[in-house]
Amino acid sequence: SVWREEPSTASAFTASAFHAFIGSYNQMMRNREEISCMECNESLPYNGNEWIDDDVSDPIFYGTQRHTCYSCMKHYCYICIINGERRSMISDCHICKRDYCVDCTKMHTCLSCNGRNCNDCYEYECHNCNEKICSECVEEDNDCCKCEDCNAVFCSICNIMAEARTCGQCDYRRCNYCRFQKFRQGQLGCSECIKGIAHLLVDESKRLYQEVEQLKVENKEQQGEIKEL
């Protein structure tokens, strides 16, 4: 990917050693015997495409290899049609752009960006639901967030409750659970953070009240047992 990102203009791309390599590789593949998809036997590459993308106007996929699983190196169509049924045996990772077949790597859909990514590009799992989150979404703070205190990561859905975000007042990125623990320890002095955990403080107050009431009932029962003795 570094080679693909170095040139800044289309002319710089075509003048690079990497672009020359792409041309040589594609010519070599054209000179070989025809290669077919291992699933549906369709000739590859189809629609006039090359084995390595040489379109300098598309910096996202320029220099990426088509129809080839990065792991097993087997060749497939992107959409196989067998007995009228569409089947996808290979797909590209949203982040690294590598192609993987279904036998080598299971693609996961990120709950935040809906991008399909390979296992290598999923560094995080949601602390609550264990769904995988792509590293790009966590780094860009895309509706999901990583708490600076506990390092827990929350997906865009679970983050609605966790509210792991950067506070506009104290500039700390914490989840509500850590804010609550800091408050209980007397270490949370940010009024904005305290407002954010108001509902947790109310819930804690209710829980303590119920515990006190339960202790009163148990104490009364014990006093009654003592009188009977």
Side-chain angles (χ1 to χ4, degrees), residues 110 112-113 124 133-148 152-156 159 163-168 171-174 179:
C110 177
S112 293
C113 67
Y124 304 100
I133 308 172
C134 68
S135 55
E136 194 173 74
C137 281
V138 174
E139 291 165 4
E140 295 179 359
D141 204 6
N142 184 17
D143 295 329
C144 54
C145 197
K146 181 179 180 180
C147 176
E148 293 179 350
V153 175
F154 300 91
C155 69
S156 55
N159 200 31
E163 291 187 19
R165 55 181 171 76
T166 302
C167 176
D171 205 34
Y172 272 102
R173 181 182 295 181
R174 291 191 180 107
R179 291 190 185 100

Side-chain angles (χ1 to χ4, degrees), residues 185-196:
Q185 296 166 6
Q187 299 176 1
L188 189 65
C190 174
S191 59
E192 192 65 27
C193 286
I194 294 174
K195 288 180 183 177

Side-chain angles (χ1 to χ4, degrees), residues 68-74 90 98-101 103-105 120:
T68 307
C69 175
Y70 185 80
S71 181
C72 67
M73 303 301 291
K74 293 178 180 178
I90 194 171
R98 295 169 178 167
D99 286 346
Y100 288 98
C101 72
D103 294 328
C104 289
T105 298
D120 290 340

Side-chain angles (χ1 to χ4, degrees), residues 66-208:
R66 293 191 176 108
H67 305 293
T68 307
C69 175
Y70 185 80
S71 181
C72 67
M73 303 301 291
K74 293 178 180 178
H75 305 295
Y76 294 97
C77 298
Y78 291 109
I79 296 294
C80 297
I81 300 179
I82 302 175
N83 298 325
E85 179 184 349
R86 294 167 64 89
R87 187 181 308 168
S88 179
M89 290 296 298
I90 194 171
S91 57
D92 67 284
C93 172
H94 175 69
I95 294 179
C96 68
K97 308 304 178 189
R98 295 169 178 167
D99 286 346
Y100 288 98
C101 72
V102 295
D103 294 328
C104 289
T105 298
K106 179 183 177 182
M107 292 288 181
H108 301 273
T109 301
C110 177
L111 288 180
S112 293
C113 67
N114 291 321
R116 290 173 57 80
N117 301 309
C118 66
N119 286 326
D120 290 340
C121 292
Y122 274 112
E123 299 179 16
Y124 304 100
E125 288 187 355
C126 177
H127 180 72
N128 280 353
C129 66
N130 297 324
E131 286 290 337
K132 291 184 177 294
I133 308 172
C134 68
S135 55
E136 194 173 74
C137 281
V138 174
E139 291 165 4
E140 295 179 359
D141 204 6
N142 184 17
D143 295 329
C144 54
C145 197
K146 181 179 180 180
C147 176
E148 293 179 350
D149 281 359
C150 65
N151 291 322
V153 175
F154 300 91
C155 69
S156 55
I157 296 175
C158 294
N159 200 31
I160 295 174
M161 291 300 297
E163 291 187 19
R165 55 181 171 76
T166 302
C167 176
Q169 182 173 322
C170 66
D171 205 34
Y172 272 102
R173 181 182 295 181
R174 291 191 180 107
C175 64
N176 273 349
Y177 309 116
C178 285
R179 291 190 185 100
F180 181 68
Q181 292 302 321
K182 290 286 185 182
F183 179 84
R184 295 182 68 179
Q185 296 166 6
Q187 299 176 1
L188 189 65
C190 174
S191 59
E192 192 65 27
C193 286
I194 294 174
K195 288 180 183 177
I197 60 171
H199 62 288
L200 295 179
L201 297 176
V202 171
D203 291 342
E204 176 74 354
S205 178
K206 290 180 180 178
R207 185 186 66 80
L208 292 175

